[in-house]
Amino acid sequence: MNDVNQTAKLICHAYLNLIPRDSIDDDTISKIIKDKISSAIEFQSIDKELLFELLRADFSIGSGAITELYDENVTPWLNDEKANIDFELWNRYKLDMQKNDPSFPVNDLDDFTNRILDKCVNPKKKASWDRRGMVVGHVQSGKTSNYVGLINKATDAGYKVIIVIAGTISSLRRQTQERIDSGYIGRNSSAFIRENQNKIIGVGKINVDTDIYSLTSSYYKSGDEGDFSQSVANRLNIPIGKNPVVFVIKKNKSILENLIDWFSKDVNAKIVDGSPKLFDVPVLIIDDEADAASVNASKSIEDIKTINKLIRTLLNLFNQNTFIGYTATPYANLFISQEHKEELTTIVKNKEYKIGEDLFPRDFIINIKAPSNYIGAAKIFGFENPEGDEKEPLDIFRAIDRFNGFDNKNNPIYEGDFDPPFFRTVNKFNKENLPEYLPKSLEKAIQSFILTCAIRRLRGHENKHNSMLIHVALLVKWIDRVASLVNKKTKEYANAIRSEDAGILQELKELYETDFVPTTDNVLENLDYKDIRIKQHSWEEVKGELKKAVSKIDVRSVHGTRSTTNLEYHNIEEIDYNRHENGLSVIAVGGSRLSRGITLEGLSVSYYLRTTKMYDSLMQMGRWFGYRLGYVDLCRLYTTEQIFEWFNHITMATEEMRNDFDEMTASHQRPKDFRLKVRNHHGLMTITSLAKLHFSKNIEISFSGTNPQTYQLLKTKSAIESNFKNFQSLLDIGNKPFEIIKHKETDVIPRYVLIKDFDKEKIAAFLDNFKIDLLRIKNARLGEYILTQNEIKEWSVTIVSNTDVKTFIDFNGGSKKGERANNADVKTYQVQIGNETLELGCSVRNQQLLREGEYYLISKNQIDDTVDRQVDLVVSGLKKNDAIKIEREKEKKGLLLIYALDERGTPDVNNGIPIIGYSLHFPKIENEVKTSYTTTIFDGFDEDPQEDDDSPNNDND
């Protein structure tokens, strides 16, 4: 940072320090920059957007947070020990991070890593110890930076051996090794091990007294030669237990066996009860992507899968060990058995070892809440948080059409699932039918990427990386063919742009004006943090950057085949962003190797077709999640409506589980309590694989304290008619009294019709007969659950009515706030309640996305609000959802809210009948009676997984 920028930053700090820290927000920082910097002549040349980002990081605006569950045996030690620790490694890592990205929130990382280290065992503690934990982050949210920071601090504190198990893929292991080299070791591991050269990189440019040795490297020739090798380790002859030693390895049978065997030969190893044990060498083992391959998928604790067994054996080899699994999808890990047989052994290289206990995080689970500028599932698909703040989904999804034959004029018919010549599933029947051309949807996606690269140049990102992901199939020959076609089409666009071809320029202009301009407006309106780089540009400005932008784009084919002899497309070079100081713009076409861990820097456009039964894998395929500072409005997700809807399901269930975690943290519960909570969670089966669960398909479920809702409604006439008839049957209550609650006394139409002390058998019948395609409700047998809960003292049914006279119907879709003036009369309907007929108003929920789809998706994913949720309670006027939940638990009341939705809020529906939706509120139940159901979650997905000849699980090179 030059002197002028530094001076401007110091001036802003001086003014901001006069303001209470908890009062500083994005607007405060913007005002200080505007008032104190923008008007000063000497600061006219500074990058005010960068200054804003730096100050935002310095003052932790919109920063993340940590919540913790831990066992009573975990006692804090770090604060008392800090005075005795020289954090030289951490301090140089911190300085290096700030140098590379001054806006990185390093203060938050400092706090988070302190709290994680505090849950590990103090490495100076004598005797034997064993600590198991898990850190839950978000996909593409910076967990590598987190654990690199942690291992720096752990080494400063006294850990002597660091083992990072970096997934199942060679390229991911090498990528992780490079991050460890740069952020921890400080030298190029490959140059040091192969050529004995001390090639300084990253943190190595800052001198410290501690020397760190790596016995693995980033070297590769034809496979992954840099992974652990006993011959290399013996040649280096680094004593274990003296200087810190780090290993970055794959989850691979032969690698793990070789490492175990090598450690067992160390001079500090002794035979104890017939099994080798390495004494007084504190080891920290980080399991990256801890839900992949590490979890034992067998039902029996005696039938142990190979990778799980070897990781446990490696841990058990050390008498002082801390194990931490890092994952964004922890569901399988929470089902790991807490039972094990002490006497179970295994043979590695002709030696017998005790396997030890399983990898359940018995001691601590740490949940990292993402900062406000993280673009994750909740922002893309929409969600309402526990405080009641609603989040509109960002308008970045683009549906891929499905070819459905030809009409009588021989025109192609498309209907929402895939685009010819691609298939929804590449299987044994069609795998030889390789595509001869690209579908229009992929051509548009490539054009979107070209525009994105150009616009980012306008925003000062000309030297930043840009990436596009294309994931169509798993077979190498399909990946190869698609890459070849994409390269041909990209070059065709590049040549046309360079020659200023009027046709392509007009196509790009239309795409920019009809897609990019309104999407930027949508994002500016709905983004819940301030990003002052996001702004509108004229077409002439964008057009002026097209040639430079497209000339940098390189298409790479990402698969495991190293020989190009039988390939059409020969650009299979590893994607190494570090070799491109002026920024790499890459289109990555791949299969399994793009699915986990590999970070695509500056990812903006994703084209994703493949469905999967593995819902944790589906979440991991969300490489489009991450930090998109200055360009989130340019991001696009091209996928099918089905996949988008399934992500919607997963997002809801995942966010609910994270909220459960936070609630349990507040009541000081333990990891094993969270395991039980998740095990009985009604959203579970939309998330994880049955193969990883230690119980049958008969799932016990709990709705205690939850809020099942119909945020996805069927639009078929038969379903709408059936649900309205079902609603009328529910209200057949004879002479039972009900209460009419008006918003204002002068209102003709009531706001609520409240019926207290409602027959729970009628509620159960209503729910069971309700036609819906929302799996978490459809499979859950809500009615049966309600009938078994005797602790709920009273059930109420409330119809929520619209009291307005006029309303806004978004007939065109995607209207901005300034365009939402009332344009229609509120639609009313009549309903018979007992012996009375009432006129009520339809609620309006305009559908923002998927307007042509088969579902009526309510964009905010919540159909009620905080006022509605307490209409039956004695204590009302509560502002926060948490407070309402606490009061509902106290009063032990259940509530069924029913909404009659205006069919004009979604297209293709014209029945003259309101669309009925509901929101069900359960109190927390202390002595809950659980019910069970047999899951059928795989409905609608491929019964047979796609063929895969490039699977990372076969990556044993």
Side-chain angles (χ1 to χ4, degrees):
M1 190 184 298
N2 63 36
D3 291 341
V4 176
N5 287 332
Q6 183 65 25
T7 302
K9 181 180 168 185
L10 290 172
I11 289 171
C12 291
H13 264 269
Y15 282 102
L16 288 166
N17 285 331
L18 299 174
I19 302 169
R21 182 61 72 102
D22 58 2
S23 300
I24 299 174
D25 58 15
D26 288 332
D27 292 333
T28 312
I29 293 173
S30 293
K31 189 174 188 308
I32 293 290
I33 293 173
K34 181 181 177 183
D35 294 348
K36 309 302 179 186
I37 304 300
S38 297
S39 57
I41 296 173
E42 63 269 33
F43 295 133
Q44 292 306 302
S45 63
I46 72 163
D47 185 339
K48 297 178 183 65
E49 285 90 353
L50 176 61
L51 178 60
F52 174 83
E53 291 158 14
L54 296 175
L55 293 169
R56 201 173 189 276
D58 289 349
F59 287 88
S60 296
I61 306 302
S63 62
I66 271 187
T67 48
E68 309 162 343
L69 290 182
Y70 52 92
D71 199 71
E72 57 267 18
N73 72 315
V74 177
T75 54
W77 59 273
L78 188 56
N79 277 339
D80 294 338
E81 190 66 27
K82 268 184 182 177
N84 304 319
I85 301 172
D86 178 5
F87 283 104
E88 59 170 5
L89 297 177
W90 160 253
N91 287 329
R92 74 170 183 173
Y93 179 62
K94 178 174 154 183
L95 288 170
D96 187 63
M97 293 284 281
Q98 289 172 319
K99 178 187 170 189
N100 292 332
D101 181 3
S103 67
F104 185 86
V106 73
N107 295 332
D108 297 333
L109 182 63
D110 191 9
D111 175 51
F112 293 176
T113 48
N114 272 349
R115 292 170 69 176
I116 298 168
L117 182 60
D118 200 33
K119 299 296 175 290
C120 304
V121 178
N122 181 352
K124 296 193 174 118
K125 182 179 178 181
K126 302 300 181 186
S128 298
W129 38 266
D130 179 286
R131 183 64 49 90
R132 309 286 171 102
M134 182 167 70
V135 175
V136 181
H138 294 258
V139 175
Q140 298 286 91
S141 65
K143 63 178 167 52
T144 308
S145 300
N146 184 290
Y147 69 65
V148 173
L150 175 66
I151 64 178
N152 274 287
K153 284 186 177 176
T155 306
D156 286 330
Y159 278 89
K160 294 299 183 185
V161 173
I162 306 292
I163 302 172
V164 179
I165 309 174
T168 59
I169 312 169
S170 292
S171 51
L172 173 56
R173 191 210 68 80
R174 293 193 295 271
Q175 188 181 66
T176 305
Q177 178 80 56
E178 288 168 355
R179 295 284 296 273
I180 297 289
D181 286 359
S182 177
Y184 175 57
I185 302 166
R187 62 172 164 256
N188 183 300
S189 55
S190 181
F192 182 79
I193 289 175
R194 296 188 66 246
E195 298 151 25
N196 201 26
Q197 288 185 1
N198 203 35
K199 188 176 177 183
I200 298 300
I201 60 171
V203 294
K205 295 167 187 171
I206 303 167
N207 288 328
V208 293
D209 293 331
T210 305
D211 253 346
I212 301 163
Y213 294 94
S214 178
L215 297 190
T216 56
S217 79
S218 56
Y219 175 66
Y220 70 95
K221 185 178 180 182
S222 59
D224 195 8
E225 291 83 357
D227 209 333
F228 179 75
S229 158
Q230 288 205 41
S231 61
V232 170
N234 290 334
R235 173 171 60 80
L236 293 171
N237 196 27
I238 307 296
I240 297 298
K242 190 177 178 184
N243 285 88
V245 181
V246 62
F247 305 78
V248 182
I249 64 170
K250 280 199 306 294
K251 291 181 189 179
N252 174 282
K253 178 177 181 288
S254 62
I255 297 294
L256 284 163
E257 287 182 339
N258 282 329
L259 186 59
I260 290 165
D261 183 53
W262 185 79
F263 274 127
S264 74
K265 299 170 185 173
D266 190 86
V267 292
N268 290 313
K270 300 174 184 174
I271 302 297
V272 178
D273 295 332
S275 183
K277 201 87 169 176
L278 191 53
F279 280 87
D280 302 324
V281 180
V283 62
L284 172 62
I285 297 183
I286 302 287
D287 183 5
D288 196 3
E289 306 292 351
D291 59 306
S294 302
V295 178
N296 188 33
S298 300
K299 292 182 181 179
S300 169
I301 60 172
E302 295 184 20
D303 178 18
I304 307 173
K305 298 298 181 185
T306 301
I307 298 299
N308 175 267
K309 175 172 61 182
L310 291 172
I311 293 175
R312 288 161 63 179
T313 302
L314 177 63
L315 263 173
N316 202 46
L317 184 60
F318 293 83
N319 82 315
Q320 297 178 335
N321 69 76
T322 293
F323 173 85
I324 305 178
Y326 273 75
T327 182
T329 48
Y331 317 107
N333 302 75
L334 294 168
F335 291 90
I336 293 171
S337 175
Q338 290 177 262
E339 300 175 6
H340 76 287
K341 290 193 174 179
E342 189 68 37
E343 64 273 14
L344 282 180
T345 61
T346 188
I347 302 295
V348 175
K349 305 281 186 184
N350 299 317
K351 286 183 191 170
E352 187 175 64
Y353 296 82
K354 285 196 171 180
I355 296 171
E357 68 177 281
D358 213 333
L359 303 177
F360 178 75
R362 57 167 153 76
D363 297 307
F364 66 88
I365 302 173
I366 289 176
N367 178 38
I368 299 180
K369 295 182 178 182
S372 64
N373 62 355
Y374 171 74
I375 305 301
K379 280 194 174 73
I380 292 175
F381 304 105
F383 184 69
E384 183 193 62
N385 68 20
E387 285 73 43
D389 299 328
E390 294 168 335
K391 297 187 186 303
E392 290 275 6
L394 299 178
D395 185 20
I396 65 174
F397 163 65
R398 300 293 177 266
I400 297 173
D401 293 327
R402 176 177 66 217
F403 180 59
N404 206 37
F406 295 89
D407 63 18
N408 55 11
K409 295 181 180 178
N410 209 33
N411 295 316
I413 303 169
Y414 297 97
E415 195 187 314
D417 225 71
F418 65 86
D419 210 350
F422 293 164
F423 305 104
R424 187 175 73 117
T425 302
V426 177
N427 54 38
K428 60 187 176 183
F429 302 110
N430 60 27
K431 66 182 181 180
E432 301 303 327
N433 299 332
L434 297 178
E436 298 293 336
Y437 60 94
L438 296 180
K440 292 294 181 186
S441 57
L442 183 47
E443 289 183 357
K444 183 183 283 189
I446 296 169
Q447 290 180 355
S448 295
F449 184 60
I450 294 169
L451 285 171
T452 293
C453 293
I455 297 166
R456 289 194 70 192
R457 295 180 65 85
L458 289 172
R459 296 181 182 176
H461 292 176
E462 59 270 18
N463 294 325
K464 298 283 189 180
H465 303 305
N466 293 287
S467 300
M468 175 178 177
L469 175 154
I470 299 175
H471 180 71
V472 172
L474 299 175
L475 294 172
V476 170
K477 59 186 174 183
W478 265 79
I479 296 168
D480 177 53
R481 171 62 64 84
V482 172
S484 179
L485 292 171
V486 168
N487 182 62
K488 182 180 177 183
K489 180 58 67 174
T490 304
K491 286 197 179 332
E492 179 186 313
Y493 288 146
N495 291 334
I497 289 168
R498 279 192 286 266
S499 62
E500 299 189 8
D501 177 80
I504 185 62
L505 290 177
Q506 183 60 31
E507 282 184 44
L508 289 170
K509 182 182 180 183
E510 286 180 10
L511 180 60
Y512 177 70
E513 292 178 344
T514 60
D515 187 325
F516 279 72
V517 170
T519 301
T520 297
D521 282 341
N522 172 275
V523 169
L524 286 170
E525 184 178 317
N526 292 310
L527 208 58
D528 58 356
Y529 64 93
K530 197 176 188 75
D531 188 338
I532 60 178
R533 286 191 190 273
I534 296 178
K535 57 187 73 170
Q536 292 287 9
H537 309 276
S538 71
W539 166 245
E540 289 304 316
E541 289 177 303
V542 176
K543 180 182 172 185
E545 296 291 341
L546 286 174
K547 290 180 184 178
K548 290 179 181 177
V550 76
S551 66
K552 288 181 70 173
I553 295 175
D554 187 25
V555 178
R556 301 281 178 89
S557 187
V558 182
H559 52 69
T561 303
R562 302 265 59 93
S563 169
T564 59
T565 305
N566 297 316
L567 299 178
E568 290 182 40
Y569 191 63
H570 293 176
N571 191 355
I572 58 174
E573 182 184 355
E574 294 283 335
I575 299 174
D576 186 354
Y577 295 97
N578 294 327
R579 294 171 58 187
H580 299 267
E581 291 184 4
N582 296 322
L584 171 65
S585 293
V586 64
I587 298 177
V589 183
S592 299
R593 288 159 196 270
L594 288 178
S595 69
R596 271 189 179 269
I598 293 177
T599 301
L600 293 172
E601 302 283 352
L603 178 63
S604 53
V605 179
S606 298
Y607 188 92
Y608 181 74
L609 270 185
R610 186 174 63 91
T611 56
T612 172
K613 293 179 181 180
M614 307 282 288
Y615 303 110
D616 38 14
S617 296
L618 187 57
M619 282 297 283
Q620 286 290 348
M621 262 311 299
R623 314 320 294 164
W624 47 84
F625 302 144
Y627 299 99
R628 303 290 182 259
L629 198 60
Y631 66 101
V632 65
D633 61 316
L634 311 179
C635 294
R636 296 292 181 271
L637 168 56
Y638 286 84
T639 191
T640 66
E641 288 190 1
Q642 182 193 44
I643 292 172
F644 186 86
E645 287 157 12
W646 273 92
F647 262 111
N648 206 353
H649 285 300
I650 295 166
T651 300
M652 291 293 292
T654 302
E655 292 299 318
E656 286 172 15
M657 283 193 188
R658 288 183 185 273
N659 294 338
D660 287 344
F661 186 95
D662 293 344
E663 287 179 13
M664 297 180 77
T665 296
S667 57
H668 305 291
Q669 298 191 55
R670 297 164 297 178
K672 61 185 179 184
D673 300 319
F674 187 51
R675 175 180 188 265
L676 292 172
K677 176 83 172 176
V678 174
R679 182 175 181 135
N680 294 313
H681 197 290
H682 57 282
L684 165 72
M685 298 315 296
T686 63
I687 292 175
T688 195
S689 159
L690 283 171
K692 293 178 182 175
L693 304 182
H694 291 289
F695 51 88
S696 71
K697 289 187 180 181
N698 291 317
I699 306 301
E700 277 200 330
I701 56 168
S702 162
F703 288 99
S704 173
T706 67
N707 176 209
Q709 298 172 335
T710 55
Y711 58 82
Q712 176 177 292
L713 294 157
L714 290 167
K715 285 163 62 172
T716 60
K717 184 177 182 181
S718 60
I720 292 169
E721 287 178 339
S722 173
N723 287 338
F724 191 74
K725 186 177 180 182
N726 188 27
F727 169 51
Q728 290 177 310
S729 298
L730 175 72
L731 301 179
D732 184 8
I733 57 173
N735 294 321
K736 185 176 179 60
F738 56 86
E739 185 179 351
I740 290 178
I741 302 171
K742 292 188 175 182
H743 185 63
K744 293 181 294 191
E745 279 301 318
T746 54
D747 285 342
V748 176
I749 292 175
R751 173 61 178 161
Y752 302 110
V753 179
L754 172 62
I755 312 167
K756 292 188 173 182
D757 195 23
F758 208 96
D759 182 353
K760 66 181 182 182
E761 290 192 1
K762 285 184 72 69
I763 292 176
F766 168 78
L767 296 170
D768 289 342
N769 291 327
F770 196 92
K771 292 192 180 302
I772 194 165
D773 193 24
L774 220 169
L775 297 187
R776 293 189 307 112
I777 291 176
K778 185 174 74 173
N779 289 340
R781 298 191 181 175
L782 278 166
E784 180 185 339
Y785 179 87
I786 286 172
L787 294 175
T788 59
Q789 307 309 316
N790 296 321
E791 282 205 14
I792 299 178
K793 286 184 176 178
E794 182 184 4
W795 276 98
S796 295
V797 171
T798 298
I799 308 166
V800 183
S801 170
N802 188 355
T803 62
D804 295 333
V805 176
K806 300 286 268 186
T807 190
F808 170 68
I809 304 294
D810 190 3
F811 290 108
N812 298 318
S815 299
K816 293 181 282 187
K817 280 184 179 175
E819 303 168 353
R820 296 177 190 171
N822 290 340
N823 60 1
D825 293 331
V826 167
K827 185 166 280 190
T828 61
Y829 67 101
Q830 288 189 334
V831 66
Q832 184 84 15
I833 306 177
N835 299 322
E836 292 190 41
T837 300
L838 293 181
E839 185 173 31
L840 303 176
C842 287
S843 300
V844 176
R845 296 292 186 272
N846 286 303
Q847 185 173 331
Q848 297 297 314
L849 299 171
L850 306 179
R851 291 183 58 85
E852 302 303 323
E854 60 183 306
Y855 298 109
Y856 183 1
L857 285 172
I858 299 164
S859 63
K860 290 180 178 176
N861 283 359
Q862 301 273 335
I863 65 172
D864 57 7
D865 60 30
T866 50
V867 178
D868 301 345
R869 295 169 201 166
Q870 51 193 308
V871 66
D872 63 320
L873 299 178
V874 173
V875 176
S876 58
L878 303 169
K879 303 297 184 188
K880 299 285 188 182
N881 206 25
D882 285 347
I884 297 170
K885 281 188 170 186
I886 291 168
E887 185 58 33
R888 186 163 297 286
E889 181 183 7
K890 284 181 186 173
E891 297 188 25
K892 297 185 177 179
K893 291 180 178 177
L895 174 66
L896 172 62
L897 291 168
I898 298 180
Y899 293 75
L901 301 175
D902 191 330
E903 66 181 2
R904 295 174 297 175
T906 185
D908 307 325
V909 180
N910 187 24
N911 303 314
I913 305 169
I915 302 173
I916 300 299
Y918 67 77
S919 178
L920 193 60
H921 293 267
F922 287 96
K924 283 190 178 177
I925 307 165
E926 189 173 339
N927 297 311
E928 175 185 27
V929 180
K930 297 181 179 67
T931 58
S932 65
Y933 69 95
T934 301
T935 177
T936 55
I937 59 159
F938 297 151
D939 288 355
F941 277 87
D942 313 327
E943 284 308 311
D944 297 312
Q946 288 194 31
E947 287 190 55
D948 183 358
D949 59 2
D950 190 40
S951 171
N953 294 322
N954 297 326
D955 191 5
N956 295 332
D957 48 8

